[in-house]
Amino acid sequence: DSALMITKSENVSDGDGFGDVAVDGYGYIYAVDYPLPTSRCGGDIRKSPPGGELIPSWKGVRKDGSPVSCVWDVEVDGYGYVYLLNGEGVDKFDSDGNQVDFERAYFDVGLAVDGHGNVYGVNHSWLDSASYAEGNVSVFENLKFSPEGVLIP
């Protein structure tokens, strides 16, 4: 058995830590690079092959040129597509960081993909403003999207 430990060192990362981590079918590791140790979201995606050396990071950039910011979750499907959950929903990229066609899925908690590229997430909301103020009743809605990003009822 072998183990891989991802740590921050001055010659590896511009940030101060890593967030979520995903592994594809070939053993490549994708990690969200957090810019600050107290940050809950990152921007760069670090990719490491099974041997362990880091490939230069890539930033999620959409086809329209807008950056994907505040990434807090990363997943990889059975076809090698990389999904980034961020403050604006989910964006889909190939393994080199090029955005692919995907109707952006919107949800705010968790991210999972299956081997067929279906995307799963959870929307979290408060029942009403009084519940929010008191920290009481939350509503959770499970969502499923096709590999193209279309909501499946």
Side-chain angles (χ1 to χ4, degrees), residues 69-98:
S69 60
C70 201
V71 176
W72 60 80
D73 203 346
V74 59
E75 292 292 335
V76 182
D77 70 15
Y79 302 104
Y81 290 109
V82 179
Y83 300 80
L84 304 178
L85 176 60
N86 58 83
E88 299 177 50
V90 176
D91 290 284
K92 181 177 178 179
F93 298 85
D94 66 19
S95 62
D96 294 321
N98 302 302

